[in-house]
């Protein structure tokens, strides 16, 4: 019985350690990324667990994250799920999919209060991906499901700008 309890405890501990922390962010964080005076290219993806096209494009974003690891490219997956679902849906989803990109939760009650901060052209539909590098004067919004090729082309353009 002790071995079984120890096994259950260790399994739970390993899962807890392996699970990614999901910070809650406010809208002003978007402004900080967009105004960052660095060479970092930010790839900000707005998604939700219930959005089929969002889930379908996650492997493309994960591939970009892996391919540009160690470079000045930061892939950030910003969940727009309901706050009440972060613990019971978003965190288990992130763990199950073994997402390596940083996942954050947009902790704003009214999307209309922050959508224009992302881009005045954004209708609020997801998936949406903003690629931005202020120092290089680059900003591009994709208001659709993206491919790796489309992401990489925009990132390479942002790095040359």
């Amino acid at each position: 019985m002790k071995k079984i309890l120890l096994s259950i405890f260790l399994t739970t501990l390993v899962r807890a350690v392996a699970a990614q922390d999901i910070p809650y962010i406010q809208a002003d964080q978007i402004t900080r990324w967009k105004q960052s005076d660095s060479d970092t290219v930010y790839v900000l993806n707005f998604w939700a667990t219930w959005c089929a096209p969002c889930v379908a494009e996650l492997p493309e974003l994960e591939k970009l994250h892996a391919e540009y690891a160690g470079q000045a490219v930061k892939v950030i997956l910003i969940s727009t799920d309901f706050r009440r679902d972060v613990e019971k849906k978003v965190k288990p989803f992130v763990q199950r999919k073994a997402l390596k990109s940083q996942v954050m939760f947009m902790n704003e009650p009214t999307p209309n209060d922050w959508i224009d901060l992302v881009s005045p052209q954004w209708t609020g539909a997801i998936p949406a991906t903003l690629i931005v590098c202020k120092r290089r004067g680059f900003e591009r919004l994709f208001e659709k499901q993206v491919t790796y090729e489309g992401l990489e082309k925009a990132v390479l353009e942002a790095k040359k700008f």
Side-chain angles (χ1 to χ4, degrees), residues 45-125:
N45 177 261
F46 298 86
W47 68 288
T49 57
W50 49 262
C51 167
C54 299
V55 173
E57 76 179 358
L58 287 174
E60 308 296 312
L61 290 150
E62 286 290 278
K63 181 178 178 182
L64 187 77
H65 171 76
E67 293 292 324
Y68 287 87
Q71 296 184 42
V73 176
K74 186 147 179 76
V75 177
I76 303 168
L77 307 175
I78 303 169
S79 169
T80 61
D81 284 86
F82 294 112
R83 182 185 174 122
R84 68 177 179 264
D85 292 337
V86 172
E87 292 297 323
K88 64 182 178 181
K89 291 183 182 175
V90 179
K91 284 186 178 183
F93 178 90
V94 168
Q95 185 176 1
R96 188 172 59 256
K97 296 289 186 180
L99 297 179
K100 303 290 185 233
S101 300
Q102 175 66 62
V103 178
M104 298 185 176
F105 173 73
M106 178 53 73
N107 191 29
E108 292 286 354
T110 308
N112 290 337
D113 292 345
W114 56 269
I115 286 173
D116 282 345
L117 286 177
V118 175
S119 173
Q121 289 76 41
W122 186 26
T123 67

Side-chain angles (χ1 to χ4, degrees), residues 2 11 15 19-20 23 34 45 54 56 62-64 69 81 85 95 111 120 123 125 132 134-135 140 143 145 157 161:
K2 287 183 183 180
T11 301
R15 285 185 181 163
Q20 184 181 140
K34 288 181 72 173
N45 177 261
C54 299
E62 286 290 278
K63 181 178 178 182
L64 187 77
D81 284 86
D85 292 337
Q95 185 176 1
T123 67
V132 62
K134 180 184 182 252
R135 180 176 280 178
R140 176 147 319 131
E143 192 173 15
Q145 185 176 336
E157 189 177 337
F161 230 75

